[in-house]
Amino acid sequence: MSSPDITLGGWFSGRAARSPRRPALTFEGTTWTFGELLERIDRLAAALRASGVKHGDRVAFIGFNQPASLETWVACSRLGAIYVPLNFRLAGPELAFIIEDAGIHTVVAGSAQMAGIDAIREQVNVRHYIGVDEGAQRPEGWASYEKLITANGRLDSPDVVRPEELSVIMYTSGTTGTPKGVMLSHENLWWSDIALLSWIDISADDVTLAFSPLFHIAGLNFMIGITWMRGGHVVLHRSFDAQATLDDIQKYRIKTLFGVPAMFIAISQLPGFADADLSTVRMAVCGGAPAPEPLLRIFADRGIGVLQGYGLTETAPAAIFLVAEYALSKLGAAGQPPLYIEAKLMDGTREVTAPFERGEILLKGPNITTGYWNRPEATAAAFDPGGWFHTGDVGQYDDDGIISIVDRVKDMVISGGENVYPAEVENVLFGHPAVSEAAVIGLPDEKWGEAVTAVVALHPGATLTLAELREFANESLARYKLPQKLFVVDELPRNPTGKVLKFQLRDDLSTE
């Protein structure tokens, strides 16, 4: 008996065969059924094959969220090629580094990104360039994406692809150094979806709103993957816009969505939030960083339990998830690992089992990367001899065995010999009525070693002093955790996935 085809191209074509007339994707007013989308994917795959893309070659996409990014991903799978999504906000030298490191054969680019790629052409060894037609004139040397799809027939024979072969190489954001390419196989992606479906109730009638960047693993393979697997409908936004999100939740009767805390904060602060019809939203998942408890309560007051999800690029992204039954009783917790994934907490060489003790989160499962592209040393450092993956994140159990994410190991502040976890302090500071968003970092201090430093953005017209902030936080925090310094900024620096760039804050403020 042959094994089922669990590769991306295999299961997507299987879903399209079973649900050809069901809506699969809506983008800027146009909707494609599963059958129509698969036809475009197979025509693109035929065009890529005709241009020389072979099994194992790497194909990159750079651009805002758009159907072409998802079509290219699945088309690569049909050929046994490897998809490499690029962060369009990276500078030219950073993109050139990734393109050369990955050995990219073909670049597919959105209209706004073609000029940036042209600027680094002499630095890279790319064989073929394809530009997505969006009304802009294509520079010389770029093939037309739509013309390739129109001119080619459907792929006559998809390559035979094994589940253990790579589907995606996704480069980390590089916030702490040179980007590393995380290798994700087809079975990594499949088991992430299956693990999530063991926790999450997704149906064929679900409509999910996708606005997180598709060069991020949660944007690419979280709600989109599991929704399509069940035959549901994806509404895709070009980028995140709080007002457009609120509008389309009502227009398309959205049932599920995923975002990072900064996105949910922006939605909650819209003037129309209180009166918007959010009655269809059954599940809102927040990930990427710990969500402040006051934010979760804002949505809970609207009848929406925002579930925390925890994952990494290396876990494709399933790792730990809070199921709906705990949405309000375990507000702010990350949850438990779903089926097929194991988690444990380690303090050095000691496994942490007691409630509320802290330890680094280690993970094991079929969804976890085998390592980093061209980085054997980094791969070896990420796994212990037992095959457990070290996340670098600190967690703790509660009395029921539910895990909360406390902070990043590297973000911990050591002040006067005491460990201070910024996420705990940020959670309190966010509750101050003047604070719109907050980050806590450690800055060098002659007396304390590191000073607990609050960096905050304020609501329009609000003011705040360090004394006022300390007085407010003193009700909830031990004195050694109270901010010793305060910086007020217009906004916090974030990477495209919404994570605060704390290294940038430390670099910018350590000289002040």
Side-chain angles (χ1 to χ4, degrees):
M1 179 178 175
S2 61
S3 300
D5 187 352
I6 64 171
T7 65
L8 172 65
W11 72 250
F12 185 87
S13 62
R15 168 52 63 192
R18 290 161 177 80
S19 310
R21 295 180 181 84
R22 291 188 64 86
L25 180 65
T26 293
F27 180 73
E28 297 183 347
T30 300
T31 297
W32 295 267
T33 66
F34 278 97
E36 291 167 338
L37 194 56
L38 181 61
E39 179 172 352
R40 286 179 57 83
I41 287 166
D42 277 352
R43 286 176 176 270
L44 175 61
L48 291 173
R49 178 181 281 173
S51 70
V53 174
K54 301 184 299 297
H55 201 113
D57 283 344
R58 276 76 66 198
V59 176
F61 181 89
I62 182 169
F64 303 121
N65 290 355
Q66 54 196 287
S69 56
L70 297 171
E71 291 169 347
T72 303
W73 179 34
V74 185
C76 284
S77 177
R78 302 287 274 168
L79 298 176
I82 303 167
Y83 180 64
V84 184
L86 300 177
N87 180 345
F88 58 80
R89 294 186 179 180
L90 294 179
E94 295 171 305
L95 287 171
F97 170 83
I98 292 174
I99 289 171
E100 281 298 280
D101 186 66
I104 299 298
H105 178 285
T106 295
V107 171
V108 182
S111 59
Q113 286 73 40
M114 284 184 269
I117 295 296
D118 271 346
I120 60 171
R121 274 208 192 200
E122 293 184 359
Q123 304 171 41
V124 297
N125 189 31
V126 174
R127 301 179 192 177
H128 196 214
Y129 295 88
I130 302 172
V132 180
D133 304 87
E134 296 180 294
Q137 184 174 358
R138 279 177 289 104
E140 184 178 352
W142 289 82
S144 164
Y145 183 90
E146 286 299 328
K147 287 182 179 179
L148 287 174
I149 289 178
T150 302
N152 282 271
R154 297 187 67 160
L155 189 69
D156 53 3
S157 57
D159 275 34
V160 175
V161 184
R162 299 186 308 275
E164 65 271 20
E165 292 184 54
L166 295 186
S167 173
V168 175
I169 300 174
M170 184 167 285
Y171 278 77
T172 58
S173 57
T175 57
T176 58
T178 302
K180 299 191 297 289
V182 178
M183 300 187 293
L184 296 173
S185 67
H186 290 273
E187 61 186 357
N188 289 153
L189 301 176
W190 165 266
W191 282 109
S192 175
D193 289 345
I194 294 301
L196 288 169
L197 286 171
S198 77
W199 265 161
I200 302 175
D201 183 19
I202 299 293
S203 77
D205 293 326
D206 275 351
V207 184
T208 193
L209 183 58
F211 44 75
S212 297
L214 297 180
F215 56 76
H216 180 255
I217 189 61
L220 184 68
N221 191 52
F222 184 26
M223 280 301 180
I224 290 178
I226 59 179
T227 299
W228 272 354
M229 194 173 284
R230 295 303 299 268
H233 182 188
V234 174
V235 177
L236 181 66
H237 279 188
R238 187 176 292 268
S239 59
F240 174 70
D241 179 278
Q243 188 61 58
T245 298
L246 195 61
D247 291 344
D248 275 3
I249 287 174
Q250 299 167 95
K251 178 179 179 180
Y252 291 102
R253 313 299 289 167
I254 296 298
K255 295 184 180 180
T256 67
L257 66 158
F258 166 83
V260 300
M263 296 172 175
F264 285 103
I265 291 171
I267 294 167
S268 70
Q269 293 176 349
L270 290 171
F273 177 77
D275 298 322
D277 179 6
L278 306 179
S279 61
T280 60
V281 178
R282 190 184 76 254
M283 181 171 56
V285 181
C286 187
E293 188 170 315
L295 171 67
L296 302 178
R297 293 198 178 279
I298 289 171
F299 280 85
D301 290 343
R302 292 298 321 274
I304 300 173
V306 177
L307 308 183
Q308 290 246 51
Y310 167 77
L312 305 94
T313 304
E314 289 89 343
T315 62
I320 298 171
F321 197 82
L322 189 69
V323 293
E325 65 184 284
Y326 291 131
L328 298 180
S329 64
K330 302 291 185 180
L331 200 68
Q336 297 171 296
L339 287 176
Y340 319 113
I341 299 171
E342 300 175 73
K344 66 179 181 180
L345 306 183
M346 295 294 294
D347 181 7
T349 59
R350 179 181 68 91
E351 183 171 353
V352 174
T353 57
F356 305 109
E357 285 191 40
R358 289 168 170 162
E360 183 184 6
I361 300 169
L362 274 61
L363 298 167
K364 181 185 284 189
N367 60 309
I368 294 174
T369 177
T370 56
Y372 302 99
W373 182 260
N374 292 334
R375 301 287 192 281
E377 299 85 0
T379 299
F383 293 88
D384 69 13
W388 289 87
F389 175 74
H390 287 247
T391 68
D393 289 309
V394 179
Q396 64 184 26
Y397 298 109
D398 69 6
D399 291 325
D400 297 316
I402 303 297
I403 299 172
S404 293
I405 310 302
V406 179
D407 223 318
R408 291 287 293 171
V409 171
K410 65 180 178 61
D411 285 341
M412 185 176 68
V413 180
I414 303 177
S415 183
E418 298 281 2
N419 293 343
V420 179
Y421 291 91
E424 178 186 8
V425 183
E426 291 162 358
N427 189 58
V428 172
L429 302 188
F430 184 79
H432 192 287
V435 174
S436 172
E437 52 181 354
V440 170
I441 59 174
L443 291 182
D445 185 88
E446 291 185 2
K447 180 178 180 180
W448 301 108
E450 285 187 305
V452 179
T453 304
V455 187
V456 302
L458 304 179
H459 292 295
T463 60
L464 185 65
T465 66
L466 177 60
E468 291 169 340
L469 188 62
R470 285 175 60 89
E471 182 181 0
F472 173 82
N474 189 52
E475 299 177 6
S476 306
L477 297 172
R479 289 192 62 80
Y480 72 86
K481 300 178 182 180
L482 297 179
Q484 297 154 297
K485 296 182 180 181
L486 171 66
F487 292 90
V488 177
V489 297
D490 292 334
E491 61 181 3
L492 297 178
R494 298 179 183 273
N495 71 12
T497 65
K499 293 183 180 180
V500 175
L501 298 175
K502 291 192 174 183
F503 82 97
Q504 183 175 323
L505 288 176
R506 285 189 288 265
D507 289 348
D508 291 346
L509 299 178
S510 59
T511 57
E512 295 194 13

